[in-house]
Amino acid sequence: MGLVTEKLPIFLEPVPGGSVLLASMDKLINWARLNSLWPLTFGTSCCAIEVMMATGAPKHDIARFGAEVARPSPRQADVLVIAGTIVKRMAPTLRTLYEQMAEPRYVIATGSCAISGGPFVYGSYSTVRGADEIIPVDVYVPGCPPRPEGYFYGLLTLQKMIREGETLRHPGVRRKPVLAELPPGITMEDIRRDLVHLLEKEARVDLREAENATAESTERLLRSGNSSSLIRSTRD
Amino acid sequence: METQVLSSAVLAIDSKAQLRDKTDRLTVTIPVEALFTFLSKLNTDSSLAFDMLCAHTAIDWIAEQRFEMVYELYSTTHSHAMRVTTSVPRENTVVPSVSSLWRIAEWQEREVYDMFGILYENHPDLRRVLLDDGWQGFPLRKDYKDDYLLERPE
Ligand code: SF4
């Protein structure tokens, strides 16, 4: 690969039509790469159950995305999936594993532990606060633990990043995907307002209103002439 | 053995042993001076035969300035379980090692030393087991602090 990625662009660039050829070769290489991402599973705690076992099992079946060939050896893996808490004693090992992986290598951090330290961010003497303190991370998948669907979304995001990258001319550089566009007619303000409304509605219980609601429903039951035992039970 | 019979048999070993109430299993407190002889009787007496130390840990009662040592015992021959506790002051944390009675205590005591800084008398190899050898302090003590630890903001 070294010959192709380092020497070839320099020769091809000045040739008429060379850049077009480079671009189509990029596409081919990216296509091959993104459809066979072999994960190195680095499951250190509870997230590993969700991300390594549940996604691999037939119900969710990670093989649909070509990423089912989990390798225990870093030399055969493309993407390092950090699933779980990273403690100080584990940090040097994680760094070594990352260094041992062949280029191009990608990192997905799943779960709040691998993103920021998660539940252990305060008052823990041993937890590393985020895998990105040790190695560069490409995709973060939030959750504690993330659903398998969440992990798939992270995987697809990584595939998108690979698809948009320029493999030959800038082999190390990966373009981060932009956020999905909002539907027409909806602004970020609207979403924020809705969220605030929802949160306030959930948080506040108006006792008077709640009482009236039950009284009303009892009345309605009385009026509709339901069996008396039901009415008695609601009143009790 | 029935719990009633077991508790009277255990209490008969040493007059300093005290029964604790409101516990989920038979629990006996004993002063630290009498701990080792008491535990070795529990281990060797054929009608008690506590041949397994399931767990050993410590509790840091910082308000009372003491550590409570907890031994969870089980007998594989008679299928009965009990718990023995003892207290040591925080400024002098020396406890007799029970690794001569149960081999597994060797590692369990190393872990308790690692986390609480309890010193075990006659332990064959008292080193840290989980943390780095150069670690300063004992992290499960309630007053443990280091530069890395974040306090939860109010
Ligand atoms: S993020 Fe949650 S589920 Fe995942 S390893 Fe941390 S504590 Fe476990």
Side-chain angles (χ1 to χ4, degrees):
Chain A
M1 259 336 244
L3 180 77
V4 180
T5 49
E6 277 155 34
K7 302 273 162 55
L8 198 67
I10 306 165
F11 289 126
L12 275 183
E13 199 85 86
V15 181
S19 341
V20 180
L21 187 61
L22 272 184
S24 40
M25 277 174 70
D26 263 356
K27 265 194 193 144
L28 182 70
I29 294 174
N30 285 345
W31 170 82
R33 271 184 191 162
L34 69 89
N35 284 307
S36 67
L37 282 171
W38 289 10
L40 169 73
T41 42
F42 188 76
T44 44
S45 49
C46 17
C47 266
I49 311 296
E50 202 76 3
V51 164
M52 284 157 66
M53 276 135 223
T55 57
K59 181 163 183 188
H60 295 285
D61 194 13
I62 200 171
R64 293 177 292 158
F65 307 102
E68 84 282 16
V69 200
R71 296 283 109 170
S73 157
R75 304 194 190 276
Q76 302 164 355
D78 306 303
V79 50
L80 173 56
V81 181
I82 307 167
T85 324
I86 297 158
V87 293
K88 283 190 194 164
R89 288 277 309 252
M90 192 49 117
T93 315
L94 178 59
R95 179 80 216 187
T96 316
L97 282 174
Y98 178 75
E99 300 290 354
Q100 283 177 335
M101 284 167 68
E103 292 263 11
R105 54 194 171 195
Y106 311 96
V107 179
I108 300 182
T110 58
S112 28
C113 281
I115 295 173
S116 67
F120 312 109
V121 67
Y122 294 123
S124 167
Y125 57 93
S126 60
T127 312
V128 173
R129 291 189 274 273
D132 47 11
E133 294 204 351
I134 309 159
I135 54 174
V137 175
D138 292 305
V139 177
Y140 298 87
V141 181
C144 181
R147 295 258 328 145
E149 292 90 327
Y151 175 55
F152 290 151
Y153 188 73
L155 194 68
L156 292 177
T157 311
L158 182 64
Q159 293 191 346
K160 200 166 163 190
M161 280 165 59
I162 300 171
R163 192 181 293 122
E164 289 173 3
E166 288 184 57
T167 315
L168 290 180
R169 265 172 294 191
H170 307 285
V173 181
R174 302 198 273 285
R175 235 185 261 159
K176 302 263 169 182
V178 288
L179 284 176
E181 223 178 302
L182 289 175
I186 291 178
T187 60
M188 206 57 209
E189 268 308 300
D190 294 339
I191 294 176
R192 255 185 226 124
R193 197 159 3 90
D194 276 7
L195 271 181
V196 167
H197 178 68
L198 260 181
L199 285 176
E200 280 181 350
K201 202 174 105 195
E202 288 289 304
R204 225 186 299 120
V205 177
D206 191 336
L207 275 184
R208 181 104 7 100
E209 214 172 79
E211 258 171 32
N212 284 347
T214 40
E216 258 171 42
S217 54
T218 324
E219 254 168 47
R220 214 180 309 127
L221 272 176
L222 276 169
R223 249 185 281 119
S224 63
N226 262 337
S227 70
S228 51
S229 66
L230 183 63
I231 295 163
R232 222 178 292 130
S233 72
T234 28
R235 277 194 176 155
D236 289 347
Chain B
M1 220 188 262
E2 291 287 318
T3 315
Q4 287 300 326
V5 187
L6 180 65
S7 81
S8 48
V10 164
L11 289 179
I13 295 177
D14 197 322
S15 59
K16 291 197 237 36
Q18 278 175 356
L19 202 65
R20 290 262 291 264
D21 52 353
K22 298 201 192 108
T23 51
D24 56 345
R25 70 175 61 165
L26 175 64
T27 305
V28 166
T29 308
I30 185 110
V32 67
E33 310 85 56
L35 178 76
F36 187 79
T37 32
F38 184 68
L39 286 178
S40 56
K41 289 246 181 62
L42 290 182
N43 186 17
T44 47
D45 190 323
S46 62
S47 65
L48 298 168
F50 284 101
D51 50 6
M52 183 167 155
L53 177 65
C54 301
H56 168 49
T57 185
I59 307 169
D60 186 0
W61 297 106
I62 192 162
E64 298 157 30
Q65 286 295 310
R66 67 186 173 99
F67 285 110
E68 183 170 14
M69 315 302 300
V70 184
Y71 298 83
E72 299 280 353
L73 305 178
Y74 182 72
S75 165
T76 51
T77 34
H78 304 301
S79 308
H80 53 217
M82 74 172 290
R83 178 184 300 143
V84 179
T85 74
T86 182
S87 286
V88 285
R90 268 178 133 258
E91 59 273 12
N92 178 29
T93 59
V94 183
V95 178
S97 163
V98 295
S99 53
S100 52
L101 307 177
W102 297 280
R103 263 319 283 288
I104 188 63
E106 233 173 78
W107 274 41
Q108 291 178 349
E109 287 174 350
R110 273 177 73 183
E111 189 181 339
V112 176
Y113 161 71
D114 203 357
M115 295 294 165
F116 292 94
I118 308 286
L119 301 171
Y120 290 93
E121 240 171 335
N122 302 330
H123 191 286
D125 179 25
L126 197 61
R127 280 181 292 134
R128 289 194 183 270
V129 62
L130 294 173
L131 301 174
D132 287 329
D133 285 339
W135 194 284
Q136 297 292 316
F138 304 102
L140 287 195
R141 289 191 176 198
K142 297 278 188 229
D143 54 358
Y144 174 81
K145 290 236 167 11
D146 68 17
D147 300 340
Y148 183 77
L149 200 117
L150 275 186
E151 296 289 334
R152 180 181 289 280
E154 290 308 320

